[in-house]
Amino acid sequence: MSTATSAPPMISASGVNKYFGDLHVLKEIDFEVPRGQVVVVLGPSGSGKSTLCRAINRLEPINSGEIQVDGKPLPSEGKALAALRADVGMVFQQFNLFAHKTIVDNVTLAPQKVRKVSSSEARKTAMELLERVGIANQAEKYPAQLSGGQQQRAAIARALAMRPKVMLFDEPTSALDPEMVQEVLDTMTGLADEGMTMLVVTHEMGFARRAAHRVVFMSDGEIVEDSTPEDFFSAPKSERAKDFLGKILTH
Amino acid sequence: MFDFLSEYDVLGVFWVTVQLTFFAAIGSLIWGTILAGMRVSPVPVMRGFAAAYVNLMRNTPLTLIILACSLGLNQTLGVTLGGEGVDQLNFRLAVLGFIAYTATFVCESIRAGINTVPVGQAEAARALGLGFTQVLGIVVLPQAFRSVIGPLASVLIALTKNTTIASTIGVIEASYLMSEMIENESDRILLVFSVFALGFVILTLPVGLILGRVAKKSAVKR
């Protein structure tokens, strides 16, 4: 599998299977996220796309197959796994900011505790990142005092503070009020433009069209299509993708 | 009416009660937190040990545990805990027994508190590369504690009253003196009871009030 000559893809999965009890949620998944690319995963609810995203940093262990990040197989437990997770940023649907810490403390926590960065340096970086996502003036507030969009942007800053090699987004806008979706998508588009490698599970077709290098369409635990956004949206090959697009694009 | 009290060191014995409670509370908070950490740890041996310990200790009468500390640990096995003189020795053995027992209730309260912390909090911490003890110590426990200050206040009040059992191994605390006074002042029994009941209420009532206020103030907003 590994290629000695060129750099391996940032994420690669081969033959991945995952069960929840009897339910086969990931079926023989093969796919790659090349360096510097944005891959958007689309699909109906329950298609396994969130599970796939969470399997990449092993928040969901898989039953068989192999996942590699930056050419290295996913460690199963312990320090090696923690070290891998430190390099893989993750943004959740429910933001999951630490509720008992201020926004700036949320952002400085992991760099200080995991990367052992000094508190002054961590704070400086944190303020730069908060400035970049447009909420530097909220730094001393607690998560519950912010709007959903602001919380999600803080969560993106928190993930970026670890200087990750790749960012995973698990339906980052699904829990937001409609008027706050755009500010989060703008932040993500900005990241994509800077060349960050991203895997984005989303229902935002506009973002997929605009920012994605590739679109992966999942249904019933399988990858049904893997193509460019132009091809996927204008000429989907499978019936399931046509059906899915028909339902969401008609209104 | 209360003249007879001047013949007894009522304040002195209540001071011993306070000391027993204080040291036992600190110890059981520490040991109980460690036990709670073990109960949610990914290591099966730790989980098993903590579960067995909690179920054994919690279901054993406290009198038996305190007696076992004195008769078993000290007189049979010769454990002295560095105590010099019989008073200090018994005091330390009693505190050890209270810690062993009360920690199980602290553990179960904290475990209930851990369950109030949304799973996403720990997931976010793990996703950032924090290890198990960091996730627990920095993210989960601080939030869990805030949600169980009320239940922990109840444990502390129960502990304060449970310290009367130390008299069974000769620690001269409040109830020890009360028994003595009941014998000597047989014509004032109700008065003696009232004095000690009041003493305990004075000790425990503020605990409930203060910790209730702390709980409200430190609650995590979601």
Side-chain angles (χ1 to χ4, degrees):
Chain A
M1 279 292 290
S2 63
T3 47
T5 46
S6 65
M10 189 54 84
I11 298 170
S12 73
S14 59
V16 171
N17 284 287
K18 160 91 186 165
Y19 297 84
F20 285 128
D22 288 337
L23 195 65
H24 200 172
V25 286
L26 295 178
K27 299 173 186 167
E28 288 296 321
I29 298 290
D30 293 297
F31 90 116
E32 282 183 359
V33 180
R35 279 159 203 280
Q37 288 206 4
V38 177
V39 174
V40 168
V41 183
L42 300 174
S45 301
S47 58
K49 54 195 193 306
S50 267
T51 308
L52 175 63
C53 185
R54 291 163 54 84
I56 289 162
N57 63 0
R58 217 169 189 283
L59 285 180
E60 297 285 357
I62 55 175
N63 295 92
S64 65
E66 190 180 52
I67 295 176
Q68 294 194 350
V69 174
D70 202 11
K72 291 184 219 71
L74 222 52
S76 59
E77 272 307 326
K79 285 205 165 66
L81 180 60
L84 175 126
R85 283 171 172 162
D87 287 337
V88 177
M90 181 145 193
V91 175
F92 299 84
Q93 183 176 351
Q94 299 296 337
F95 331 131
N96 296 343
L97 289 171
F98 304 130
H100 64 306
K101 294 199 173 289
T102 59
I103 296 302
V104 67
D105 287 347
N106 263 275
V107 181
T108 57
L109 191 148
Q112 282 184 258
K113 302 291 178 184
V114 178
R115 298 260 193 256
K116 310 294 178 197
V117 171
S118 73
S119 84
S120 58
E121 199 186 324
R123 195 181 161 86
K124 189 166 154 275
T125 315
M127 291 313 294
E128 284 167 13
L129 285 167
L130 289 174
E131 187 71 48
R132 180 165 144 197
V133 299
I135 50 169
N137 54 347
Q138 314 287 331
E140 304 302 332
K141 290 189 184 170
Y142 285 89
Q145 296 172 291
L146 269 59
S147 72
Q150 290 172 328
Q151 287 191 53
Q152 193 61 298
R153 284 185 282 155
I156 293 171
R158 177 176 69 175
L160 290 175
M162 294 297 281
R163 306 200 183 286
K165 297 174 189 169
V166 51
M167 289 280 286
L168 309 174
F169 292 83
D170 184 7
E171 304 205 25
T173 56
S174 299
L176 295 176
D177 291 335
E179 73 270 25
M180 294 171 183
V181 169
Q182 201 53 47
E183 63 192 50
V184 172
L185 291 180
D186 287 345
T187 307
M188 290 166 60
T189 310
L191 265 184
D193 292 344
E194 288 165 28
M196 174 64 81
T197 310
M198 292 161 62
L199 177 73
V200 185
V201 173
T202 186
H203 293 290
E204 294 299 326
M205 301 303 144
F207 177 80
R209 275 179 203 272
R210 197 169 57 243
H213 295 91
R214 266 188 27 248
V215 169
V216 169
F217 176 70
M218 284 185 77
S219 178
D220 300 320
E222 291 172 300
I223 291 183
V224 181
E225 297 206 19
D226 186 343
S227 58
T228 63
E230 299 80 51
D231 289 348
F232 179 76
F233 287 109
S234 56
K237 293 184 211 73
S238 66
E239 280 307 313
R240 280 188 280 187
K242 281 177 196 163
D243 186 46
F244 175 75
L245 288 172
K247 275 177 190 155
I248 54 165
L249 295 180
T250 45
H251 56 89
Chain B
M1 193 165 72
F2 290 97
D3 294 346
F4 72 101
L5 286 177
S6 58
E7 293 165 35
Y8 301 95
D9 188 11
V10 177
L11 285 180
V13 292
F14 269 109
W15 178 237
V16 175
T17 295
V18 169
Q19 286 177 309
L20 279 171
T21 308
F22 178 78
F23 291 113
I26 303 269
S28 49
L29 192 62
I30 295 168
W31 181 220
T33 306
I34 294 170
L35 283 171
M38 290 169 87
R39 288 210 77 168
V40 298
S41 91
V43 185
V45 180
M46 285 190 167
R47 279 204 308 272
F49 167 80
Y53 177 91
V54 166
N55 284 313
L56 187 72
M57 281 293 174
R58 192 171 53 159
N59 295 304
T60 306
L62 180 56
T63 314
L64 200 153
I65 292 172
I66 298 295
L67 277 176
C69 284
S70 175
L71 301 178
L73 276 184
N74 177 247
Q75 293 180 20
T76 310
L77 298 174
V79 175
T80 63
L81 302 171
E84 286 165 15
V86 106
D87 281 353
Q88 198 182 39
L89 174 68
N90 287 339
F91 181 89
R92 290 187 182 191
L93 289 168
V95 167
L96 179 70
F98 292 134
I99 291 173
Y101 179 78
T102 312
T104 63
F105 295 93
V106 172
C107 165
E108 292 305 279
S109 295
I110 291 174
R111 201 159 67 103
I114 290 173
N115 289 335
T116 69
V117 180
V119 184
Q121 295 283 305
E123 277 187 351
R126 282 193 283 149
L128 285 165
L130 275 70
F132 173 77
T133 46
Q134 289 178 318
V135 173
L136 197 65
I138 301 170
V139 174
V140 177
L141 279 180
Q143 297 186 54
F145 266 118
R146 286 163 214 230
S147 67
V148 294
I149 291 173
L152 285 179
S154 298
V155 172
L156 182 56
I157 289 169
L159 169 66
T160 311
K161 297 184 292 183
N162 283 345
T163 57
T164 52
I165 291 175
S167 64
T168 55
I169 60 169
V171 177
I172 300 166
E173 45 67 64
S175 75
Y176 188 97
L177 182 67
M178 187 179 77
S179 308
E180 201 181 298
M181 285 168 72
I182 288 169
E183 277 183 35
N184 298 347
E185 313 287 337
S186 52
D187 51 340
R188 297 193 185 91
I189 282 183
L190 286 180
L191 209 54
V192 171
F193 276 133
S194 308
V195 166
F196 283 92
L198 183 70
F200 274 99
V201 169
I202 289 172
L203 287 184
T204 53
L205 203 60
V207 169
L209 291 175
I210 292 168
L211 288 183
R213 192 167 291 177
V214 173
K216 215 175 247 174
K217 221 178 153 189
S218 65
V220 179
K221 290 178 185 63
R222 301 201 186 276

Coordinates of all heavy atoms in Angstrom, one line a residue, chain B residues 176-213:
Chain B
Y176 N -19.4 10.6 73.4 CA -18.8 10.0 74.5 C -19.1 10.7 75.8 O -19.5 10.1 76.8 CB -17.3 10.0 74.3 CG -16.4 9.2 75.3 CD1 -16.1 7.9 74.9 CD2 -16.0 9.7 76.5 CE1 -15.3 7.1 75.8 CE2 -15.3 9.0 77.4 CZ -14.9 7.7 77.0 OH -14.2 6.9 77.9
L177 N -19.0 12.0 75.7 CA -19.3 12.9 76.9 C -20.8 12.8 77.2 O -21.2 12.8 78.4 CB -18.9 14.3 76.6 CG -19.1 15.3 77.8 CD1 -18.2 14.9 79.0 CD2 -18.9 16.7 77.4
M178 N -21.6 12.7 76.1 CA -23.0 12.6 76.4 C -23.4 11.4 77.2 O -24.2 11.5 78.2 CB -23.8 12.6 75.0 CG -25.3 12.7 75.2 SD -26.2 12.7 73.6 CE -26.1 11.0 73.2
S179 N -22.8 10.2 76.9 CA -23.1 9.0 77.6 C -22.7 9.2 79.1 O -23.4 8.8 80.0 CB -22.3 7.9 77.0 OG -22.6 7.7 75.7
E180 N -21.6 9.9 79.2 CA -21.1 10.1 80.6 C -22.1 11.0 81.4 O -22.4 10.7 82.5 CB -19.7 10.8 80.5 CG -18.9 10.7 81.8 CD -17.5 11.4 81.6 OE1 -16.8 10.9 80.7 OE2 -17.3 12.3 82.3
M181 N -22.5 12.0 80.7 CA -23.4 13.0 81.4 C -24.8 12.4 81.7 O -25.4 12.7 82.7 CB -23.6 14.2 80.5 CG -22.4 15.1 80.6 SD -22.4 16.4 79.3 CE -23.7 17.5 80.0
I182 N -25.2 11.4 80.8 CA -26.5 10.8 81.0 C -26.4 10.0 82.3 O -27.4 9.9 83.1 CB -26.9 9.9 79.8 CG1 -27.3 10.8 78.7 CG2 -28.0 8.9 80.2 CD1 -27.5 10.1 77.4
E183 N -25.3 9.4 82.5 CA -25.1 8.6 83.8 C -25.1 9.5 85.0 O -25.7 9.3 86.0 CB -23.8 7.8 83.7 CG -24.0 6.5 83.0 CD -22.7 5.7 83.0 OE1 -21.9 5.7 84.0 OE2 -22.4 5.0 82.0
N184 N -24.3 10.6 84.9 CA -24.1 11.5 86.1 C -25.3 12.4 86.4 O -25.6 12.7 87.5 CB -22.9 12.4 85.9 CG -21.6 11.5 85.8 OD1 -21.7 10.3 86.1 ND2 -20.6 12.1 85.3
E185 N -26.0 12.8 85.3 CA -27.1 13.8 85.5 C -28.4 13.1 85.1 O -29.2 13.6 84.3 CB -26.8 15.0 84.5 CG -25.4 15.5 84.5 CD -25.1 16.3 85.8 OE1 -26.1 16.8 86.4 OE2 -23.9 16.4 86.1
S186 N -28.7 12.1 85.8 CA -29.9 11.3 85.5 C -31.2 12.1 85.6 O -32.2 11.8 85.0 CB -30.0 10.0 86.3 OG -29.9 10.3 87.6
D187 N -31.2 13.2 86.4 CA -32.4 14.0 86.5 C -32.5 15.1 85.4 O -33.4 15.8 85.4 CB -32.4 14.7 87.9 CG -31.1 15.4 88.2 OD1 -30.1 15.1 87.5 OD2 -31.1 16.3 89.0
R188 N -31.5 15.1 84.5 CA -31.6 16.2 83.5 C -31.4 15.6 82.1 O -30.8 16.2 81.2 CB -30.4 17.2 83.7 CG -30.5 18.0 85.0 CD -29.5 19.1 84.9 NE -29.5 19.9 86.1 CZ -28.6 19.6 87.1 NH1 -27.7 18.6 87.0 NH2 -28.6 20.3 88.2
I189 N -31.9 14.4 81.9 CA -31.6 13.6 80.7 C -32.1 14.4 79.4 O -31.3 14.5 78.4 CB -32.2 12.2 80.7 CG1 -31.3 11.4 81.6 CG2 -32.3 11.6 79.3 CD1 -31.7 9.9 81.7
L190 N -33.3 14.9 79.5 CA -33.8 15.6 78.3 C -32.9 16.8 78.0 O -32.7 17.1 76.8 CB -35.3 16.0 78.5 CG -36.3 14.9 78.4 CD1 -37.7 15.4 78.6 CD2 -36.1 14.2 77.1
L191 N -32.5 17.5 79.0 CA -31.7 18.7 78.8 C -30.3 18.3 78.2 O -29.8 19.0 77.2 CB -31.4 19.3 80.2 CG -31.2 20.8 80.2 CD1 -32.3 21.5 79.6 CD2 -31.1 21.3 81.7
V192 N -29.7 17.2 78.6 CA -28.5 16.7 78.1 C -28.7 16.4 76.6 O -27.9 16.8 75.7 CB -28.0 15.5 78.8 CG1 -26.8 14.8 78.1 CG2 -27.6 15.8 80.3
F193 N -29.7 15.7 76.3 CA -30.0 15.3 74.9 C -30.1 16.6 74.0 O -29.5 16.8 73.0 CB -31.3 14.6 74.7 CG -31.2 13.1 74.9 CD1 -32.0 12.4 75.8 CD2 -30.2 12.4 74.3 CE1 -31.9 11.0 76.0 CE2 -30.0 11.0 74.5 CZ -30.9 10.3 75.3
S194 N -30.9 17.6 74.6 CA -31.1 18.8 73.8 C -29.8 19.6 73.5 O -29.6 20.1 72.4 CB -32.0 19.8 74.6 OG -33.2 19.1 75.0
V195 N -28.9 19.6 74.6 CA -27.6 20.3 74.4 C -26.8 19.7 73.2 O -26.3 20.4 72.4 CB -26.8 20.3 75.7 CG1 -25.4 20.7 75.4 CG2 -27.4 21.2 76.7
F196 N -26.8 18.3 73.2 CA -26.0 17.7 72.2 C -26.7 17.8 70.8 O -26.0 17.9 69.8 CB -25.6 16.3 72.6 CG -24.5 16.2 73.6 CD1 -24.8 16.2 74.9 CD2 -23.2 16.3 73.1 CE1 -23.8 16.3 75.8 CE2 -22.2 16.3 74.1 CZ -22.5 16.3 75.4
A197 N -28.0 17.6 70.8 CA -28.7 17.8 69.5 C -28.5 19.2 69.0 O -28.1 19.3 67.8 CB -30.2 17.6 69.7
L198 N -28.5 20.2 69.8 CA -28.3 21.6 69.4 C -26.9 21.7 68.8 O -26.6 22.3 67.8 CB -28.6 22.5 70.5 CG -28.4 24.0 70.2 CD1 -29.6 24.4 69.3 CD2 -28.4 24.9 71.4
G199 N -25.9 21.1 69.6 CA -24.5 21.2 69.1 C -24.4 20.7 67.7 O -23.7 21.3 66.9
F200 N -25.0 19.5 67.4 CA -24.8 19.0 66.1 C -25.5 19.8 65.0 O -25.0 19.9 63.9 CB -25.3 17.5 66.1 CG -24.3 16.5 66.5 CD1 -24.2 16.0 67.8 CD2 -23.3 16.1 65.6 CE1 -23.2 15.2 68.2 CE2 -22.3 15.3 66.0 CZ -22.2 14.8 67.3
V201 N -26.7 20.3 65.4 CA -27.4 21.2 64.4 C -26.5 22.4 64.1 O -26.4 22.8 62.9 CB -28.8 21.6 65.0 CG1 -29.4 22.7 64.1 CG2 -29.7 20.4 65.0
I202 N -25.9 23.0 65.1 CA -25.0 24.1 64.9 C -23.9 23.8 64.0 O -23.5 24.6 63.1 CB -24.5 24.7 66.3 CG1 -25.6 25.3 67.0 CG2 -23.4 25.7 66.0 CD1 -25.3 25.7 68.5
L203 N -23.4 22.6 64.1 CA -22.3 22.2 63.2 C -22.8 21.9 61.8 O -22.1 22.3 60.8 CB -21.7 20.9 63.7 CG -20.8 21.0 64.9 CD1 -20.1 19.6 65.2 CD2 -19.7 22.0 64.7
T204 N -23.9 21.2 61.6 CA -24.3 20.7 60.3 C -25.2 21.7 59.5 O -25.1 21.7 58.3 CB -25.1 19.4 60.4 OG1 -26.2 19.6 61.3 CG2 -24.2 18.3 60.9
L205 N -26.0 22.5 60.2 CA -26.9 23.4 59.5 C -26.1 24.4 58.5 O -26.5 24.5 57.3 CB -27.8 24.2 60.4 CG -29.1 24.7 59.9 CD1 -30.0 23.6 59.4 CD2 -29.9 25.5 61.0
P206 N -25.1 25.0 59.0 CA -24.4 26.0 58.1 C -23.7 25.2 56.9 O -23.7 25.8 55.8 CB -23.3 26.6 59.0 CG -23.7 26.3 60.4 CD -24.5 25.1 60.4
V207 N -23.3 24.0 57.2 CA -22.7 23.2 56.1 C -23.7 23.1 54.9 O -23.4 23.4 53.7 CB -22.3 21.8 56.5 CG1 -21.9 20.9 55.3 CG2 -21.2 21.9 57.5
G208 N -24.9 22.7 55.2 CA -26.0 22.6 54.2 C -26.2 24.0 53.5 O -26.3 24.0 52.3
L209 N -26.4 25.0 54.3 CA -26.7 26.3 53.8 C -25.6 26.9 52.9 O -25.8 27.3 51.8 CB -27.0 27.3 54.9 CG -28.3 27.1 55.7 CD1 -28.4 28.0 56.8 CD2 -29.5 27.2 54.7
I210 N -24.3 26.8 53.4 CA -23.2 27.3 52.7 C -23.0 26.6 51.4 O -22.9 27.1 50.3 CB -21.9 27.3 53.5 CG1 -22.1 28.3 54.7 CG2 -20.7 27.7 52.7 CD1 -21.0 28.2 55.7
L211 N -23.0 25.2 51.5 CA -22.7 24.4 50.3 C -23.8 24.6 49.3 O -23.6 24.5 48.0 CB -22.4 23.0 50.6 CG -21.1 22.8 51.3 CD1 -20.8 21.3 51.5 CD2 -19.9 23.3 50.4
G212 N -25.1 24.8 49.7 CA -26.2 25.0 48.8 C -25.9 26.2 48.0 O -26.2 26.3 46.8
R213 N -25.4 27.3 48.7 CA -25.2 28.5 48.0 C -24.0 28.4 47.0 O -24.1 28.8 45.8 CB -24.8 29.6 49.0 CG -24.8 31.0 48.4 CD -24.8 32.1 49.5 NE -26.0 32.1 50.2 CZ -26.2 33.0 51.3 NH1 -25.2 33.8 51.6 NH2 -27.3 33.0 51.9

